[in-house]
Each structure stands twice: as structure tokens, then as C-alpha cells.
Amino acid sequence: MIRGVIFDVDGVLLDSLEIWDNLGIRYVCSLSKKPIEGMEDVLYPLSMEDGATYLRKTFSIAKSNQEIICDLEKMIEDFYFEEVKAKKGVKEVLAYLEQVGIPVVCATSCSRKLVERALHRNGLLSYISHIFWLY
């Protein structure tokens, strides 16, 4: 008998991996600069601070690392608040689990504000009894 289900948020409940895979490209394009092929592979393992340094130096951005990080965080926030969609079929699965009395929790390393807003906007938050924050 299943007593409960735990889901990861990013990439499982929300189709949010796009922002993490393409944030650098989005940022560079927002500055009317041309991305470099393979730059996302360079950025992927970097911290926000190191990524900001890479972007600032590579694209001659006349901003401090902290300003670049603020810009990137705003882009992430806008994505979660306005763009991210639920993964296909997730709402139906969550509704079924609720119907048969199986509680659902989820876990994420993402910001509480971003995840709660995105889940609510996509009509998923009411199905989730608890969110575990892994940061």
C-alpha cells in the first residue's frame, strides 16, 4: 500500500529546467549581445558569483558581479512567476492521488517564494501537503 508520494519540483512537477539550462543565453541576449556557442556548458558548473565573473569578462559587461547576479535573479523570478508551466499530465496525476487518498509532498532546492508562486499559478499547490526546502 502506498502511504505517500514525494516529488521533486524542478523538472518533475514544473517544466523549469529551461531557465537553468539557458539563463546565460537569455541574459546575454537581453543585453543585445550574441551568445557564444557552448557557453552554457561553461556556466553550468559555476556558482552565481563565478558565472557573473565569466559573463562580465567574456561579454565586456559594464556592471559589477552583484548587479549581474541581481539581473539573473530577476530573470529567474520572472520565469517562475510568469512563464513556467506544469509538466504535462502532472495535474491529473496529483488529482488522482488526492482522489484515492494518497498524500503528496515535494522537495526542492529552489526558493520558497518562486516555487510556491509557480505551483499556485499552475493550480498544483493545493494538492501538495508539504514542501521540503533543501537549501
Side-chain angles (χ1 to χ4, degrees), residues 43 46-55 65 69:
L43 288 168
L46 301 181
S47 66
M48 287 289 267
E49 181 72 28
D50 290 341
T53 298
Y54 169 82
L55 291 169
N65 279 8
I69 290 169

Side-chain angles (χ1 to χ4, degrees), residues 36 67 90 127 131-132:
I36 296 170
E67 289 172 314
V90 163
Y127 295 107
I131 301 172
F132 293 96

